[in-house]
Amino acid sequence: MSILTEPSPVLLVHPDDSVVIAMTPISAGTSVIIDAETIVARQDIPQGHKLARLSVAKDAPVLRYGFPFGVATMGIEPGDHVHSHNVHTALGTGDAYRFTPPEADTPVHASERSFLGYVRDDGSVGTRNEIWIIPTVGCVGRTAERLAAKAGLSLPAGIEGIHAFPHPLGCSQLSDDLEGTTGILAALAQHPNAGGVLLLGLGCESNQMALMLEQIPAERRARIRTLGAQASADEMVEGLTAIAELATIAGQDKRQSVPLSALRLGVKCGGSDGLSGLTANPLIGRMADAVGDAGGGILLTEIPEIFGAERILMDRCADEATFDAMVDLVRGFKDYFVAHGEPVSENPSPGNIRGGITTLEEKSLGAVQKAGHVPVTDVLPYAGRARRAGLTVLEGPGNDAVSTTALAAAGATLTLFSTGRGTPLGSPIPTVKIASNSALAAAKPGWIDFDAGAVLAKGMDAAAQELLDTVIAIASGRLARNEVNEERSIAIWKRGVTL
């Protein structure tokens, strides 16, 4: 039998927790010391998985982060591997919520940090100055890509990129489903990272160009051009002409120093593992606090991935109206699952489970840490656009492509994306990948922008300072890995009947 003491192979997150987290693989029979007590591992414990430190009776709650993340399906003894074989979700749909007024307003503190951004006429600030081509319908998606490729062969002065965002929707949709597509595309057309936008339509689609233009304020339309392919003698020639006109306008824009409060920060996780809630997500929470404390805006979505931890956010709602909207959003999403015959706990993913996450509650308790301690000031429907400083909770599913697109459409100008398993996925904006563990960062340097394993090596404060420097550099123009790799795409939340 071996004894592991220094460096500690396990981490106790909260003094009330039933479990500790294995920071390195632990073999069966190995003794570890937790709060001066020696516990012998009764099974092999993979890195990121949980080791019981307390006895838990069958049907009793099991705690991590100081909160229950499930119930024991059998008796659990100290040293046991705690995972899906002996813990089950306790999620349901009948939760009761009660508003508790916040104790005091959170003061805004002017930050000394700033970045170089593009100030738009409507007061928004972009982190990029690009031309975006947005198709109204999937039929002209490939045409949009051809236009972007041809126009991008020689970038006009002052333009940082020309990008097309094809998608398969825009026709054969009805009611709320069509409205969601129209809304998300119209919101993207107003994005401050786009110095100019070409809306490319076919002509006969359900998502008519006029529907999108109705949702775009008049002051933004000087930087928008429209083109209907069916009505055009040569859509390539006319499209390239429109892009050149937009580039002439946007090419005059210059980066200027703006305060940190001008940043709109999206926060996201995908391919999480057992360390995500210990390293990458709390580190993103530090960035949320830095931007939020300065008076900036944070955007959080993935509503199914806050189930079981929603009270943490509800307790931070700035007023009762925001609280009520948050309750309606959570309940509405649970009803959405039930209406489709699915349990509300249909998560975590197979990759999450292999990484050590046992239940949706556990995943959610780690996920909400990305929001830091920023007060919840607004709740928005899908395709809504951010209106207030503080934390905005946005309706949207957990799907990585759909949720990152929704964050961008809502106005995020840079998204921090934590991952324990790795993903190359990117959205229309800089999508900064933060590895929860150093092994992933070393294995996938082409995907990863920042190694949150530094939290374990250097401490949270030092890692947070390094990440803030990285965020500011990328906001000021340094390319994120998704941009270097040309991983930039959109996905739209498909709901309802397809004709």
Side-chain angles (χ1 to χ4, degrees), residues 10-21 34-35 37 39 49-57 60-72 76-83 86-87 362:
V10 296
L11 178 65
L12 176 62
V13 180
H14 188 279
D16 294 337
D17 284 357
S18 315
V19 298
V20 292
I21 311 304
I34 306 167
D35 286 348
E37 182 178 356
I39 294 177
H49 285 235
K50 296 173 291 295
L51 171 76
R53 62 178 283 259
L54 302 174
S55 296
V56 182
V62 190
L63 274 63
R64 181 180 177 184
Y65 304 105
F67 290 89
F69 68 90
V71 295
I76 295 174
E77 297 300 327
D80 278 344
H81 180 205
V82 177
H83 201 24
N86 55 12
V87 176
E362 183 181 10

Side-chain angles (χ1 to χ4, degrees), residues 452-471:
V455 169
L456 304 178
K458 303 177 182 178
M460 183 64 73
D461 290 344
Q465 185 58 56
E466 290 182 9
L467 179 55
L468 184 57
D469 290 341
T470 298
V471 167

Side-chain angles (χ1 to χ4, degrees), residues 100-295:
T100 302
E103 294 182 2
D105 292 337
T106 302
V108 172
H109 302 286
S111 173
E112 296 180 357
R113 303 304 299 268
S114 61
F115 68 97
L116 298 175
Y118 292 95
V119 180
R120 304 303 183 189
D121 291 341
D122 62 358
S124 62
V125 177
T127 60
R128 297 292 182 267
N129 192 39
E130 300 168 337
I131 304 298
W132 289 3
I133 307 170
I134 300 177
T136 63
V137 66
C139 306
V140 289
R142 184 68 191 116
T143 304
E145 290 180 318
R146 290 167 54 216
L147 282 168
K150 193 160 187 178
L153 289 175
S154 179
L155 281 180
I159 302 303
E160 297 176 342
I162 299 174
H163 303 285
F165 297 109
H167 57 87
L169 302 182
C171 207
S172 302
Q173 294 179 270
L174 298 170
S175 188
D176 293 346
D177 186 34
L178 177 59
E179 290 176 9
T181 295
T182 302
I184 208 82
L185 296 176
L188 286 169
Q190 304 170 56
H191 200 281
N193 282 17
V197 173
L198 172 62
L199 296 179
L200 177 63
L202 180 59
C204 57
E205 62 270 28
S206 302
N207 184 34
Q208 287 287 296
M209 191 89 69
L211 297 174
M212 293 177 59
L213 289 171
E214 286 175 2
Q215 299 186 32
I216 300 173
E219 59 268 23
R220 293 286 303 185
R221 296 183 191 174
R223 291 182 178 241
I224 292 177
R225 297 292 182 271
T226 62
L227 174 61
Q230 287 175 340
S232 172
D234 189 328
E235 67 275 6
M236 290 299 293
V237 171
E238 292 187 29
L240 292 171
T241 299
I243 292 169
E245 291 176 3
L246 292 167
T248 298
I249 298 170
Q252 305 303 310
D253 300 333
K254 306 296 180 186
R255 288 189 182 271
Q256 56 184 284
S257 181
V258 292
L260 193 61
S261 60
L263 191 61
R264 296 295 176 262
L265 188 67
V267 295
K268 171 80 179 81
C269 52
S272 300
D273 68 355
L275 297 181
S276 294
L278 304 177
T279 59
N281 289 349
L283 192 58
I284 290 176
R286 289 289 192 98
M287 300 304 99
D289 287 340
V291 174
D293 288 350

Side-chain angles (χ1 to χ4, degrees), residues 217-475:
E219 59 268 23
R220 293 286 303 185
R221 296 183 191 174
R223 291 182 178 241
I224 292 177
R225 297 292 182 271
T226 62
L227 174 61
Q230 287 175 340
S232 172
D234 189 328
E235 67 275 6
M236 290 299 293
V237 171
E238 292 187 29
L240 292 171
T241 299
I243 292 169
E245 291 176 3
L246 292 167
T248 298
I249 298 170
Q252 305 303 310
D253 300 333
K254 306 296 180 186
R255 288 189 182 271
Q256 56 184 284
S257 181
V258 292
L260 193 61
S261 60
L263 191 61
R264 296 295 176 262
L265 188 67
V267 295
K268 171 80 179 81
C269 52
S272 300
D273 68 355
L275 297 181
S276 294
L278 304 177
T279 59
N281 289 349
L283 192 58
I284 290 176
R286 289 289 192 98
M287 300 304 99
D289 287 340
V291 174
D293 288 350
I298 316 300
L299 297 102
L300 171 76
T301 186
E302 301 181 281
I303 303 307
E305 298 187 13
I306 67 171
F307 291 171
E310 64 265 34
R311 284 183 173 85
I312 295 173
L313 297 177
M314 289 175 181
D315 288 345
R316 296 194 342 232
C317 286
D319 52 50
E320 193 163 4
T322 304
F323 170 84
D324 289 342
M326 182 78 184
V327 170
D328 288 345
L329 177 58
V330 171
R331 285 180 173 162
F333 227 113
K334 288 184 177 181
D335 290 344
Y336 169 67
F337 273 60
V338 173
H340 286 78
E342 300 293 345
V344 297
S345 58
E346 193 58 42
N347 211 327
S349 71
N352 295 154
I353 294 169
R354 287 193 296 272
I357 296 175
T358 300
T359 64
L360 180 51
E361 297 100 300
E362 183 181 10
K363 185 175 182 179
S364 297
L365 289 166
V368 298
Q369 295 184 63
K370 302 191 303 294
H373 300 90
V374 183
V376 179
T377 56
D378 207 1
V379 176
L380 292 178
Y382 179 68
R385 299 187 69 239
R387 304 170 292 191
R388 298 170 188 158
L391 178 63
T392 293
V393 180
L394 173 69
E395 180 187 19
N399 177 275
D400 290 347
V402 173
S403 56
T404 52
T405 300
L407 289 170
T413 51
L414 183 149
T415 290
L416 300 182
F417 189 126
S418 71
T419 180
R421 312 291 293 179
T423 174
L425 178 140
S427 72
I429 61 176
T431 310
V432 181
K433 299 294 172 45
I434 301 171
S436 69
N437 60 86
S438 296
L440 171 60
K444 287 295 185 180
W447 291 358
I448 301 301
D449 295 277
F450 191 87
D451 176 14
V455 169
L456 304 178
K458 303 177 182 178
M460 183 64 73
D461 290 344
Q465 185 58 56
E466 290 182 9
L467 179 55
L468 184 57
D469 290 341
T470 298
V471 167
I472 288 172
I474 292 175

